[in-house]
Amino acid sequence: MIQKRDLTCIGCPMGCQITVEFEGEEIKSVTGNNCKIGDRYARKEVIHPERTVTSTVAVTGGDKERCSVKTRGNIPKDMIFECMDEINRVCIPAPVKIGDVIIPDVCGTGIDVVATRNIHKV
Amino acid sequence: METNEMMSYDIVIVGGGPAGLAAAIAARKSGTERILILERDKELGGILNQCIHNGFGLHTFKEELTGPEYADRFIQQVYEMGIEYRLDTMVMDISADKVVTAMNRSDGMFRIRAGAVILAMGCRERPRGALNIPGYRPAGIYSAGTAQRLVNIEGYMPGREVVILGSGDIGLIMARRMTLEGATVKVVAELMPYSGGLKRNIVQCLDDFDIPLKLSHTVVDIEGKDRVKAVTIARVGKDMKPIPGTEERYTCDTLLLSTGLIPENELSAGCGVEMNPVTKGPFVNEIMETNIPGVFACGNVLHVHDLVDYVSEEAGKAGEAAARYVQSGCTEASRERAPIRLTATGGVRYTVPSTIHTDRMDDLLTVRFRVGAVYRQAYVSVYFDDERVQHQKKKIMAPGEMEQIILQKKKLLEKPDLHTITIKIEEDDASDAIKSSSDGKAISSANETSGAADGAAHRQTM
Amino acid sequence: MLYDVIIVGAGVSGCAIARELSRYRLNICVLEKEEDVCCGTTKANSAIVHAGFDAATGSMMAKLNVRGNEMMDQIAADLDVPFRRNGALVVCTDPDELGGLQELYDRGIANGLRADSMEILNREEALAIEPNLADDVVGAFYAKTSGIICPFLLNIAMAENANVNGVDFFFNTEVEKIEAENTAPGGERIWKIRTCNGEYRTRYIVNAAGVYADVFHNMVSSRKIHITPRRGSYCLLDRTAGNHVSHTVFAQPGKMGKGVLVTPTIHGNLLIGPNAQDIENKEGTNTTADSLNEIIEKAARNVKNIPMRQVITSFAGLRAHENGHDFIIGEVEDAPHFIDCAGIESPGLSSSPAIGEYVRKLLEEKMKPERKENWVGTRRGILNPDSLSFEERNELIRKNPAYGRIICRCESVTEGEILDAIRRPLGARSLDGVKRRTRAGMGRCQAGFCSPRTMEILHRELGLPYEKITKSGGDSRLVIGRTKEHSGEEE
């Protein structure tokens, strides 16, 4: 049976209203998107939804006690809290530079958690 | 430093956030050497430093960055260009003749004579008091941005069980942040019949975590003498007043408010800059210049933006214009004719800019505006005096999102007698225009309720 | 230790009495259930120093109001408290009620006010000095000696001054029980006060407990009194609205008090309120939608075009209304050495210096205490750098760089002022304590900007962990803990 789902694209702030028709794991059609990102998002969202996770990790010896981080790519949506558990356990020493890998291959997703700000050593 | 001797700079930029940074870089690229950024926080980057979520810079850098990463791209350029800046420095006063008085711990109070001033102070959040929310006044009530700073920069949790009033983007973003950090967000209540935040944020900050969004709801009581104990929300009618009998009580220890942003223009007003009562920001012309020649404004101090990319773009323009102004010997640009006025009407709340001198405008000029209600399948129309020259259909327009039209210089020059350009929303009879039960009337009554002029929910660059 | 005098309550009455009694060689302490002075009725009222025409002639209220008003210039100067006589207008909106204005004038004369300090104005005369009066205003009674003051700073200054002159203050100390010790006939009477922080013993008690004064009175006396918390709500408007009126504009008085007023505050804001609502809950300082609507509506009857969009906060305070509607000040008949200072509702703030003086004289007579040689009657407030010249300010920052760092942008409060507020006698211990002393957080953003910064200073200065920093003591903690609390630990 062909299923239909209406989605709001989160690929960019436009928030296109997309309609996806799919049968099992097979996408039949994607409509309403204004760009490729929307198409890609919609295909993934109905089968394997993914998200980027942003948070902070504890830092010692720096000019701040928290450093913001992100998953360098999307991880499966149902692994967000598992990923947070790992992020919450980490404590890194200063200095930190944007892009430094904080947790490689978080939760076996193949995605690294990286720093998104610079922390100076004090 | 000798404080008695007045320093002088070609351009003084008030604020080192996204607008100030982009303005400084553009001014330097335009050839102005003596530029000084004054920043009140201990680092450059402004509010972006606490906006650790991603979604910034898609227009500017064609990639999705977090706030601190986006800011860092500009900060690194400021470093490389050797642009001067002072941190932990509060600007206390700007005079009409462009003397900037500032203060910090090491330099004391000092005055700077500026060739041009760029106002880039950003905005602040509307507090609880401005909404006249009844109840007690315990600890645990935070504006969403203050909570964001506590959680993301300082690393402190404001509470465990949270109710959020207002669905502005910071509120939505904080719903997710608090949830990821282990708190329970029980509900997001929104006074208006539509969210003031970006759609994507509703999906990935609320829907992803099954946080209910209650539109047309407001807080009617706050319990707890010391710390928040419970919050009661109720549905509001078309008059924006709570409907008795619709109350729902949520036990919680925290109430976050995301109910609007107000440009921070006390300094601008102090030096005689004319304010637009709708945006609460200065009136500017086609080069982001206020009514005071040589005083420019950009970013959220001018009007509250939805995307930081637009802030950077607009600020770049202000920086270039300020550079041209000082390079031309700080004289007013030639004005061949009276400026063309831009008028916002029929659902358009305001325009930036509000006047255009055709002799100074670029070949293409972006005019940004916001609408006062949700419109579907409606048209944005542009009139040159009485003649309709643009009529563009939009699938959806909402108060939370900034809209734009582009004016061509050559089209304006074709009409030497052009006096007024009007931008309005038009709905043809056949269209299924829904205005979400909130027409202009509802908006203005919301204003009364919220006690502020810009009652339509605002989004921000966060 | 046995105290000579224990004062229950660190509001403006209790602190005025403490300061007056600190002139003598007496062991005195003040017991306060909250974490700071100025946490009850003194915290939330109209901040007016009334002229004294309103109270019934011959009442304690009338006598002490007139005397307190007279004393206020000197006490404000001695204690470095901002005070200004801006004058009050009682406006009449009903031509049939114009005679009521003459009654006010006559009562003013009867209460001892100078004839030249009052005037009856017709509409034009009133408009000439107050242009934003409502269109319905037909005349006004003008009381020139009415003033505006900062109630926080008056209360705090009195407490600080009492403290440097030797009065102990115990905060977070709630009185639970008061009883007389069994003494041999003819022996000295000693009161035992049980609190949540242990027992205190004293020869004399002054009951200045605001809305709780009836509770303590009734513990020791068979002649019961009853205090009703009479709630009044207010809206405070931004400084940009502060010039909307220059005088304190009252409605003509009715049964429930002086009605809703519109007034500038000493700090340049505009204040409207209060209504009057009798409640039972002595902690019921919540506002309600109805009460806020009521004051907004009533204020508009007397002053037009109030820019309500400029509201920055709303709040409610409780007046300690005693059934007899007069101050009850004096020794309780069937409880010797127990001095009541009860029913101190409006004009309590105005009367406070006179209340202090009155109770001092009363105890002077009873106790015959010795005066201190080294009593210091003056106190310097927290320096406001805005009052300095550019050069003076730079000199200050050179000496103390903390005065160069702005913490509260709306009210332009520096770190130097906040440090002073924390370090001085009876210094601030909470966000609200800092706010009442410096105005940090009192401005248009209502502490959104400065609260994390002020918390950092409190953390640094008091060695308090963030989780223990409060808004106003008790359980009013601002944060519940750190993020990443389990970082680095194996679970």
Side-chain angles (χ1 to χ4, degrees), chain A residues 55-56 58 65-66 84 87-90, chain C residues 482-491:
Chain A
S55 183
T56 62
E65 293 180 42
R66 296 290 180 270
M84 279 303 300
I87 287 173
N88 287 342
R89 274 200 292 272
V90 170
Chain C
R482 301 224 69 170
T483 62
K484 320 294 157 188
E485 268 179 322
H486 303 293
S487 64
E489 295 169 20
E490 285 306 314
E491 285 178 59

Side-chain angles (χ1 to χ4, degrees), chain C residues 239-306:
Chain C
R239 283 167 187 260
T240 51
N243 291 329
H244 195 71
V245 293
S246 56
H247 302 82
T248 300
V249 179
F250 291 98
Q252 241 175 326
K255 256 206 299 283
M256 289 289 275
K258 298 182 189 68
V260 168
L261 59 82
V262 180
T263 185
T265 71
I266 192 71
H267 298 292
N269 298 86
L270 191 75
L271 182 69
I272 69 167
N275 61 340
Q277 191 186 4
D278 288 346
I279 60 173
E280 280 309 311
N281 180 0
K282 290 181 189 288
E283 298 290 324
T285 54
N286 54 316
T287 57
T288 63
D290 288 345
S291 60
L292 295 176
N293 290 337
E294 180 187 345
I295 58 168
I296 292 167
E297 188 251 316
K298 286 187 174 165
R301 291 184 200 168
N302 303 322
V303 176
K304 64 181 177 187
N305 303 330
I306 299 173

Side-chain angles (χ1 to χ4, degrees), chain C residues 404-423:
Chain C
R405 182 181 174 221
I406 296 278
I407 299 296
C408 166
R409 63 179 170 195
C410 301
E411 296 292 318
S412 194
V413 180
T414 64
E415 182 171 3
E417 290 155 80
I418 293 175
L419 290 175
D420 187 358
I422 295 170
R423 292 173 183 170

Side-chain angles (χ1 to χ4, degrees), chain B residues 318-366:
Chain B
E320 285 165 19
R324 273 201 307 276
Y325 176 83
V326 294
Q327 285 157 19
S328 72
C330 300
T331 51
E332 283 188 66
S334 68
R335 283 168 187 180
E336 288 156 12
R337 64 181 205 194
I340 299 166
R341 301 221 141 265
L342 276 89
T343 308
T345 177
V348 176
R349 297 182 62 232
Y350 69 88
T351 66
V352 169
S354 54
T355 52
I356 298 174
H357 302 272
T358 45
D359 48 327
R360 292 194 306 199
M361 81 182 274
D362 294 332
D363 290 340
L364 295 177
L365 176 73
T366 304

Side-chain angles (χ1 to χ4, degrees), chain B residues 40-113:
Chain B
R40 69 185 178 198
D41 216 328
K42 54 179 180 259
E43 58 188 338
L44 293 173
I47 205 73
L48 288 175
N49 288 321
Q50 68 185 56
C51 301
I52 65 166
H53 53 281
N54 65 327
F56 297 86
L58 216 60
H59 292 241
T60 312
F61 298 112
K62 309 291 171 231
E63 61 179 308
E64 251 194 297
L65 301 173
T66 63
E69 291 172 302
Y70 185 92
D72 190 64
R73 301 272 170 115
F74 290 84
I75 294 169
Q76 293 307 326
Q77 287 188 67
V78 165
Y79 291 163
E80 282 158 21
M81 291 174 166
I83 295 172
E84 285 181 64
Y85 58 90
R86 289 193 190 190
L87 302 177
D88 286 313
T89 301
M90 190 68 85
V91 173
M92 308 295 286
D93 183 62
I94 304 169
S95 71
D97 59 350
K98 299 192 273 290
V99 173
V100 177
T101 306
M103 186 171 83
N104 64 34
R105 289 174 59 98
S106 51
D107 302 319
M109 217 170 187
F110 55 99
R111 295 190 180 117
I112 308 159
R113 183 167 293 288

Side-chain angles (χ1 to χ4, degrees), chain A residues 10 12 51 55 70 117, chain B residues 43 58 69 181 200 208:
Chain A
I10 63 169
C12 83
R51 295 291 184 266
S55 183
K70 67 175 181 185
R117 71 172 305 160
Chain B
E43 58 188 338
L58 216 60
E69 291 172 302
E181 297 299 330
R200 62 187 311 223
D208 275 3

